[in-house]
Amino acid sequence: MNKLKILNDPIYGFITIPNSLIFDLIEHKYFQRLRRITQMGMSYLVYPGAHHTRFHHAIGCMHLMQKAINVLRFKGVSISDDEEIALNIAILLHDIGHGPFSHAMEHSIVNGISHEQISLLFMEKLNDEFNGSLTLAISIFKGEYHRNFMCQLISSQLDMDRADYLKRDSFYTGVAEGNINSERLITMLSVVDDELVVENKGIYSVEKFLVARRLMYWQVYLHKTSVVAEQLLIRVLKRAKELSHNNVDLLASRALSYFLKTEINATNFDTLTLETFSKLDDYDIISAMKEWQYHDDFVLRNLCEMILNRDLLKIKVKQKKIKKSELKAKEIEMMAAFNISEAEADYFVFKGEITNQAYQQNGQQIKILHKSGKIEDIVKASDQLNLKALSKPVTKYYICYPKAKL
């Protein structure tokens, strides 16, 4: 069977699957599940085109990794065939641990375990199945490999993950401000003292990348409608878990029922849990909500109806913290209007905050390589005054409450 397939991607054109091991990983049920997990959570309620999946994104990241390897080899960086395969596998599987609706439900289905940790569990399970051929990829994914620049290609402030998702999310949402030139960024990469650097003629591409990241967060990822929709989804799961623990029967798929009835955290996330998690995707949540919108429980019924019919809570975003008195007044109003308890009203009246930081100067910095051989942090190397501002976190505060009637 020919395993060196070619995929047609709307962003990059034709993408080649480089070897039969990667083909077999893509074919595996754990990876195929990513076709059923939306890349951008509830953002499609704002941007109707944002229905692309984690599968699209992972394949795109692998394509960019192939480009990066070719560029670095061309510049004299030695990368062995084994390292090349490992880099491609590590980036291909970096998001395999995402739950339904990606980040929206990361801490709702399981507690105290991130999608990166679940990705690692999947990779270790696949490593057993594939006779240890993922060992090097796992070492790079964990950031333990002795060649630091390889770990940076997987996870840093200018990694292949960000290089793909900004361009892809910009394309599918139609938000042109996020469209970065990822191919030029990759062409400008080099390695000095085992650190990833960008040649100084790529400085403007990096500036554009950081500005695009900031704009995409405010305009797309932290759009107020996406924020309120994700909060409602989190509350649907919270309420469903609460009812399940009180022995209320809820119609749901086997996989979802398991997570509703069992309190899962980092200590009891065993092989059975991993296998059950691998059967969970967006469809389980959507089909459950289609049933739960008819449930007797006031909270569960209304939350599900809101999401399914896109009749969401009102959300106000402010520069200053929300006063407790403002929240309390809305809560009392809600309790009186619907004759419900304070605990029930809390599901519909709540506050929170959103933070945007395009660049972290104290993290793994993006380093610019000058022709003289001097290496500088992008903020110092750039004459774009905005970059210093981009490295400071900006926090906004929001309050959510029902419109006139539910």
Side-chain angles (χ1 to χ4, degrees):
M1 180 186 174
N2 175 25
K3 294 185 176 182
L4 303 180
K5 299 285 186 189
I6 293 173
L7 305 175
N8 196 347
D9 182 77
I11 316 281
Y12 311 117
F14 294 112
I15 292 178
T16 310
I17 295 175
N19 57 57
S20 58
L21 170 58
I22 285 176
F23 176 87
D24 290 338
L25 286 169
I26 290 170
E27 287 282 276
H28 196 281
K29 62 181 181 179
Y30 291 165
F31 191 80
Q32 289 294 317
R33 164 183 166 272
L34 297 182
R35 291 182 185 272
R36 302 186 299 276
I37 293 185
T38 317
Q39 169 77 6
M40 293 180 63
M42 305 301 289
S43 292
Y44 66 86
L45 291 178
V46 183
Y47 299 100
H51 274 289
H52 56 301
T53 65
R54 288 274 153 193
F55 183 91
H56 284 115
H57 166 60
I59 298 284
C61 289
M62 182 193 71
H63 171 72
L64 293 182
M65 183 63 81
Q66 288 173 274
K67 294 256 180 204
I69 291 165
N70 290 338
V71 163
L72 294 176
R73 276 180 173 163
F74 179 74
K75 292 179 184 178
V77 180
S78 77
I79 298 171
S80 71
D81 289 346
D82 285 347
E83 286 171 334
E84 177 184 3
I85 292 167
L87 282 165
N88 281 320
I89 290 172
I91 199 69
L92 182 75
L93 303 180
H94 78 284
D95 272 347
I96 201 167
H98 265 295
F101 292 101
S102 293
H103 293 283
M105 312 196 71
E106 189 161 337
H107 300 290
S108 307
I109 286 168
V110 292
N111 293 318
I113 180 164
S114 67
H115 75 269
E116 289 92 350
Q117 290 168 286
I118 300 171
S119 290
L120 187 58
L121 293 172
F122 273 125
M123 287 166 83
E124 285 166 349
K125 181 85 166 57
L126 287 166
N127 200 26
D128 291 342
E129 282 185 40
F130 286 85
N131 304 317
S133 49
L134 279 76
T135 305
L136 183 53
I138 289 169
S139 171
I140 294 171
F141 178 79
K142 288 164 83 174
E144 292 174 355
Y145 194 53
H146 67 277
R147 305 191 74 186
N148 186 46
F149 80 90
M150 293 192 179
C151 304
Q152 289 176 319
L153 285 168
I154 305 296
S155 180
S156 66
Q157 294 202 75
L158 188 55
D159 55 28
M160 297 306 103
D161 175 31
R162 291 181 185 190
D164 180 79
Y165 79 65
L166 282 175
K167 194 169 180 65
R168 189 169 298 278
D169 295 349
S170 157
F171 176 87
Y172 280 99
T173 55
V175 176
E177 288 83 354
N179 188 12
I180 58 163
N181 192 343
S182 49
E183 304 230 351
R184 175 158 171 82
L185 278 168
I186 289 167
T187 307
M188 293 297 113
L189 290 178
S190 193
V191 174
V192 177
D193 298 332
D194 202 32
E195 293 276 321
L196 214 54
V197 294
V198 181
E199 291 172 7
N200 80 325
K201 55 190 171 185
I203 197 165
Y204 303 118
S205 299
V206 177
E207 287 176 359
K208 169 80 164 61
F209 166 80
L210 293 174
V211 170
R213 195 162 182 265
R214 177 184 179 273
L215 295 174
M216 282 294 282
Y217 269 85
W218 283 138
Q219 213 167 320
V220 180
Y221 309 126
L222 298 175
H223 187 288
K224 63 178 191 172
T225 307
S226 296
V227 168
V228 71
E230 290 194 356
Q231 286 299 323
L232 287 172
L233 195 56
I234 289 164
R235 282 161 170 74
V236 164
L237 259 285
K238 184 184 170 192
R239 185 59 170 181
K241 273 187 172 183
E242 202 177 298
L243 293 171
S244 292
H245 291 171
N246 290 332
N247 298 319
V248 175
D249 261 348
L250 292 177
L251 277 171
S253 67
R254 269 185 216 180
L256 182 54
S257 292
Y258 173 84
F259 287 101
L260 290 179
K261 290 170 183 170
T262 321
E263 204 55 59
I264 299 294
N265 52 46
T267 52
N268 65 352
F269 201 105
D270 55 17
T271 313
L272 168 69
T273 305
L274 187 69
E275 199 54 43
T276 312
F277 190 87
S278 77
K279 295 180 169 63
L280 197 62
D281 54 53
D282 292 10
Y283 297 99
D284 296 79
I285 309 298
I286 293 282
S287 56
M289 288 196 297
K290 285 174 78 175
E291 286 295 337
W292 299 344
Q293 67 180 324
Y294 306 112
H295 200 274
D296 294 340
D297 182 69
F298 174 88
V299 174
L300 189 64
R301 180 177 73 246
N302 279 291
L303 290 174
C304 291
E305 279 181 355
M306 282 178 177
I307 295 171
L308 292 171
N309 305 326
R310 200 194 177 278
D311 186 12
L312 309 170
L313 294 172
K314 194 167 182 59
I315 177 169
K316 279 190 178 171
V317 179
K318 301 182 176 186
Q319 304 294 338
K320 292 181 179 175
K321 287 187 177 181
I322 308 296
K323 290 177 184 168
K324 281 185 181 174
S325 56
E326 190 181 349
L327 193 72
K328 196 71 189 164
K330 295 285 181 194
E331 208 172 55
I332 291 166
E333 214 175 284
M334 173 95 193
M335 287 158 66
F338 299 100
N339 193 24
I340 55 172
S341 68
E342 188 178 337
E344 288 170 317
D346 282 346
Y347 278 96
F348 302 94
V349 181
F350 52 87
K351 62 177 181 171
E353 58 184 60
I354 46 179
T355 303
N356 187 354
Q357 186 176 8
Y359 181 64
Q360 292 176 320
Q361 266 191 289
N362 56 357
Q364 276 199 340
Q365 298 167 344
I366 298 174
K367 292 179 176 169
I368 301 297
L369 171 66
H370 294 285
K371 282 187 176 161
S372 63
K374 183 184 174 188
I375 292 171
E376 261 188 321
D377 176 25
I378 178 68
V379 172
K380 285 185 179 169
S382 168
D383 56 9
Q384 163 72 279
L385 297 173
N386 278 350
L387 287 197
K388 198 157 183 67
L390 290 183
S391 60
K392 289 180 180 155
V394 177
T395 302
K396 294 181 182 179
Y397 306 91
Y398 65 84
I399 180 170
C400 299
Y401 53 90
K403 293 168 185 168
K405 61 182 192 305
L406 283 180

